[in-house]
């Protein structure tokens, strides 16, 4: 058995807005970081290990970068909850974020499991246009 969920201390959708400067000549301000989401899971596994991957199911424009830092485990869980792989850039290809998961559970809700910290930045200013870009982030819990 393997169950994974993303829980939030506020809204399930994250909105990260770049701020337009008030005066000509000033830089566009990146939205900073968002730490509202937590990754909770239950893994019933007698032998072997599992891993959690992250990727985007939508294309992230090359002018932007979306980073994910995973910290933890925190809270009331138990068992072999695995180890964070630190910070990764989210893209179309899956990247490992938590390795070495065995038989374990993280606890339920914010403050339990692994905290997800998203950071968005601009990589290239030429060709930026106003508007919204929806990015769908996918988490996959998989056997090794």
């Amino acid at each position: 058995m393997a169950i994974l969920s993303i829980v939030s201390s506020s809204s399930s959708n994250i909105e990260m807005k770049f701020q337009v400067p008030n005066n000509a000549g000033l830089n566009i301000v990146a939205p900073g970081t968002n730490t509202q989401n937590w990754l909770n899971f239950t893994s019933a596994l007698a032998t072997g290990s599992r891993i959690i991957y992250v990727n985007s199911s939508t294309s992230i424009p090359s002018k932007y970068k979306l980073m994910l830092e995973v910290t933890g485990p925190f809270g009331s869980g138990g068992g072999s909850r695995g180890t964070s792989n630190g910070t990764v850039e989210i893209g179309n290809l899956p990247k490992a974020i938590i390795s070495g998961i065995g038989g374990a559970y993280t606890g339920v809700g914010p403050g339990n499991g692994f905290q997800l910290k998203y950071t968005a930045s601009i990589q290239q200013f030429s060709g930026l246009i106003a508007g919204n870009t929806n990015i769908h982030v996918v988490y996959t819990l998989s056997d090794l």
Side-chain angles (χ1 to χ4, degrees), residues 58-139:
T58 53
S59 182
I60 298 174
S62 61
K63 297 178 185 328
Y64 302 99
K65 183 185 281 189
L66 182 60
M67 302 298 292
L68 173 66
E69 179 183 358
V70 179
T71 56
F74 298 102
S76 63
S80 299
R81 294 184 283 175
T83 304
S84 166
N85 292 350
T87 303
V88 299
E89 181 177 354
I90 297 175
N92 290 5
L93 298 176
K95 294 189 179 158
I97 58 169
I98 302 172
S99 303
I101 300 166
Y105 64 99
T106 59
V108 177
N112 291 294
F114 290 83
Q115 187 172 33
L116 306 174
K117 177 181 176 181
Y118 300 93
T119 304
S121 62
I122 298 172
Q123 296 302 294
Q124 181 181 6
F125 282 88
S126 65
L128 288 179
I129 58 172
N132 294 325
T133 301
N134 292 318
I135 298 171
H136 300 275
V137 178
V138 177
Y139 293 88

